[in-house]
Amino acid sequence: MAGTRLRRRGAGRADPAPPVRVRGQAGRAGGPRRGRRRRAGPRNTVSFHLDKLVAEGLLEAVYQRRTGRTGPGAGRPAKLYRRAPGQIAVSLPDRRYETAAHLLADALQEAHASGEPPRTVLDRRARELGRELGRNARTGLMEALEALGFEPRAAGDTIALVNCPFHNLAQRHTELVCGMNLCLVSGLLEGLAATDVTARLEPAPEHCCVRLHPAR
């Protein structure tokens, strides 16, 4: 779904969730016993979907003996599942406030050390970030803009960005955030070597303040 992103943040977790064991359906061969709640599904089906989540990095599989017995006859360790390390964030439409926070904090710190105006430093850092992302991209312009959360759409000979990843910030600090957006997108174009396109500030309702035009 356009505008939906599932992102992993962080690498550590101080208090991992306890692992959970998957059990099969209760009851006899004919089905669950009367009066007992039906399980979510057969064990093989549940395990299949859990292993898919492991493959996506959302869960971890661990093996433990739950009885405390060891040595011959103790049986095989049980396969358990627990939440994977890190943070998962889902937003609709796509928002990238963490990116804005890093840019703003780094710009403020550099400006304090160098004496430069914070706005000048912010715009430079946003352009540098866009340039780096463009150089590392393995896709075309539309896909690179999509990956940044801008939801690009062709509009005649221009490209409209129908989502602002920093929407709430832009509502309160329009000039600052729109200038940062313009530098970020301009840097992306430089990194992609997209010399046939230029970014301009053109605020429009329900759109990002930046629109892409053919270079003249």
Side-chain angles (χ1 to χ4, degrees):
M1 180 181 297
T4 306
R5 291 290 180 273
L6 186 145
R7 302 190 295 278
R8 297 172 174 79
R9 299 178 184 168
R13 183 180 66 246
D15 185 19
V20 176
R21 183 177 183 179
V22 178
R23 299 181 183 275
Q25 286 187 316
R28 298 176 181 174
R33 295 178 185 173
R34 176 175 292 183
R36 290 197 176 186
R37 182 182 299 174
R38 183 179 295 273
R39 300 283 181 175
R43 175 177 176 175
N44 288 346
T45 301
V46 175
S47 295
F48 171 80
H49 290 293
L50 288 172
D51 287 336
K52 285 286 188 180
L53 294 176
V54 171
E56 290 294 329
L58 303 178
L59 291 179
E60 286 184 336
V62 296
Y63 295 86
Q64 295 179 6
R65 285 194 171 90
R66 309 291 282 177
T67 62
R69 298 172 58 190
T70 60
R76 293 185 300 173
K79 186 176 184 179
L80 310 173
Y81 298 86
R82 66 186 178 196
R83 187 180 67 241
Q87 177 179 329
I88 306 300
V90 179
S91 62
L92 179 66
D94 197 7
R95 298 291 184 247
R96 302 295 177 93
Y97 296 118
E98 189 171 337
T99 299
H102 283 303
L103 282 170
L104 291 164
D106 289 345
L108 186 60
Q109 184 174 13
E110 182 179 336
H112 179 74
S114 67
E116 285 185 90
R119 175 68 180 273
T120 300
V121 180
L122 175 63
D123 289 350
R124 183 177 67 248
R125 281 187 168 269
R127 185 178 290 270
E128 289 171 352
L129 174 61
R131 192 180 297 125
E132 179 184 357
L133 293 172
R135 287 171 178 165
N136 293 333
R138 297 293 181 266
T139 60
L141 173 58
M142 298 293 277
E143 293 82 0
L145 289 166
E146 186 76 43
L148 282 172
F150 285 108
E151 296 187 22
R153 300 289 184 271
D157 62 350
T158 70
I159 298 175
L161 308 180
V162 301
N163 181 58
C164 175
F166 318 116
H167 176 74
N168 289 343
L169 286 174
Q171 293 292 304
R172 297 188 61 179
H173 309 283
T174 304
E175 184 179 354
L176 180 72
V177 176
C178 287
M180 181 184 74
N181 258 340
L182 178 62
C183 292
L184 179 64
V185 174
S186 297
L188 181 71
L189 296 178
E190 293 172 6
L192 289 167
T195 56
D196 57 336
V197 183
T198 186
R200 302 179 192 170
L201 278 179
E202 288 187 15
E206 306 301 325
H207 283 62
C208 174
C209 51
V210 178
R211 182 179 287 257
L212 277 60
H213 289 261
R216 302 299 184 187

